[in-house]
Amino acid sequence: MSTSLPLPPLPSMSFDDACRAVVDYLSAAIPMGVWMVTRREGSRQIYLCSKDSQEGYLPGAEAPWDYGFCSAMVAGAPHVAPDISVVPEYASAPATAFRPVGAYVGVPILRADGELFGTLCAINEQSVSPAMAAYEPLLDLLSRLLGSILEADLALTDQSRLTERAERDADTDPLTGLLNRRAWDRALVAEEARYRRFGDPAAIVILDLDQLKSINDGQGHHVGDEHLCLAAELLGSGVRETDIVARLGGDEFGVLASHSTTEQTDALLQRLRDAFGAAGVSSSFGQAPFSVLGGFARAWEAADEAMYADKARRRAVAAAPRVA
């Protein structure tokens, strides 16, 4: 194996470009079955970038964090294992029950504060030469470079979000003061690339008011407008400052719950249900997580489907005969 290939000019790249450059370089310089950059998110490991000569490990795919070898490596197992059969932590990994693995290489990618972001790693079906251990300093260097580029890219992304938020604030719904549909669409397009790049968790929450038409018909549109404004106020007070909230049209609202895990999104949804219920604003809710494969478009579609299912369920409960 040779490392005579020139190192890629990493510092000027975005994080996703740097990941691809590193993986391409290592695939050519140090042949293994698959090289990849992964993101750890709670109990999941997300494959952000891969150079794969084996089946699987496609970018966007996920696996349980404890399923493979990286969790053991982060916990203290050797970074380089030319033959995993002699390393008990790797030999007993659940992943070995599903595919042959002979060698593993991995180093952590850390945030500036020392928090684990993910890993730079590789596996091979057969064991490899013990000389592989000599590459550990190179892998450590590349992982530190990726960590530095990650921090710089995140800082630029945060600054871009602040600028875009100021611009979006001009595209507001005149009645509720929330973002309008045009601003929502633009926000999803802008955030799509960022969430794909970093593999961050997020979710879409959709809310539909149940009684707006009957209020408009029975009490007048001015009362209906007050109902919409109350819903907007409840939404604004229930979400976090970093979440994106919009009136999508009519009696439908959307929330992009940013950097929100499944547990955090469930808590947000329950908080909104409680607030709307306490205020007497009958509403149907649906939520769905963002995934690298489906993107925000699929998350929005799934959240909408969940909202209509919630509406149908609540109507069925309301229509059911009550037992005295």
Side-chain angles (χ1 to χ4, degrees):
M1 292 178 284
S2 170
T3 56
S4 60
L5 295 175
L7 283 168
L10 301 180
S12 63
M13 294 182 173
S14 65
F15 180 67
D16 51 335
D17 286 340
C19 289
R20 284 191 291 269
V22 166
V23 165
D24 286 346
Y25 168 78
L26 289 173
S27 296
I30 312 173
M32 292 279 282
V34 53
W35 281 97
M36 53 194 152
V37 173
T38 79
R39 165 76 185 268
R40 182 189 181 179
E41 181 52 49
S43 62
R44 301 176 299 144
Q45 184 170 22
I46 305 168
Y47 306 124
L48 297 182
C49 176
S50 64
K51 190 76 170 183
D52 190 355
S53 62
Q54 299 178 359
E55 182 181 356
Y57 302 107
L58 294 175
E62 301 179 5
W65 171 249
D66 294 332
Y67 172 90
F69 307 99
C70 291
S71 59
M73 178 271 294
V74 170
H79 288 183
V80 179
D83 182 355
I84 70 162
S85 68
V86 300
V87 182
E89 299 94 326
Y90 295 144
S92 61
T96 58
F98 298 94
R99 65 171 68 234
V101 178
Y104 167 80
V105 178
V107 287
I109 299 172
L110 303 177
R111 298 286 307 271
D113 60 2
E115 180 184 355
L116 178 70
F117 173 84
T119 66
L120 170 63
C121 59
I123 63 171
N124 200 62
E125 288 189 356
Q126 294 81 35
S127 59
V128 298
S129 168
M132 176 69 74
Y135 293 117
E136 185 170 351
L138 171 64
L139 299 176
D140 286 338
L141 171 63
L142 291 175
S143 71
R144 290 198 300 272
L145 284 171
L146 288 179
S148 297
I149 294 169
L150 171 66
E151 290 299 323
D153 207 352
L154 286 171
L156 287 173
T157 297
D158 287 343
Q159 185 58 50
S160 296
R161 282 190 172 123
L162 290 174
T163 302
E164 289 167 8
R165 181 175 288 274
E167 293 172 349
R168 283 199 305 266
D169 287 345
D171 289 330
T172 58
D173 173 59
L175 176 64
T176 64
L178 299 178
L179 297 181
N180 60 23
R181 172 63 182 272
R182 181 175 64 179
W184 169 264
D185 289 341
R186 283 209 306 266
L188 291 192
V189 170
E191 294 296 338
E192 178 86 17
R194 292 165 182 158
Y195 279 89
R196 286 182 182 276
R197 183 186 309 166
F198 302 118
D200 289 333
I204 295 290
V205 175
I206 297 297
L207 157 70
D208 188 85
L209 303 181
D210 293 333
Q211 300 171 343
L212 183 61
K213 186 178 186 304
S214 62
I215 291 174
N216 283 335
D217 293 344
Q219 303 178 57
H221 283 274
H222 68 287
V223 179
D225 287 350
E226 292 173 358
H227 196 66
L228 284 166
C229 289
L230 176 57
E233 182 180 340
L234 293 169
L235 271 175
S237 61
V239 302
R240 300 162 302 172
E241 185 178 355
T242 55
D243 296 335
I244 296 172
V245 187
R247 182 185 177 193
L248 304 181
D251 54 3
E252 188 173 29
F253 299 83
V255 179
L256 192 166
S258 63
H259 303 283
S260 185
T261 64
T262 300
E263 295 77 15
Q264 289 170 327
T265 305
D266 288 343
L268 167 63
L269 203 59
Q270 189 59 54
R271 191 162 65 245
L272 293 176
R273 286 186 189 277
D274 292 344
F276 275 71
V281 180
S282 179
S283 306
S284 301
F285 293 86
Q287 64 100 349
F290 167 85
S291 73
V292 174
L293 292 177
F296 280 117
R298 177 55 192 146
W300 185 359
E301 180 182 353
D304 212 41
E305 292 169 355
M307 181 273 292
Y308 280 111
D310 183 46
K311 187 180 291 289
R313 179 189 60 79
R314 295 172 68 254
R315 283 176 177 170
V317 170
R322 300 184 182 276
V323 178

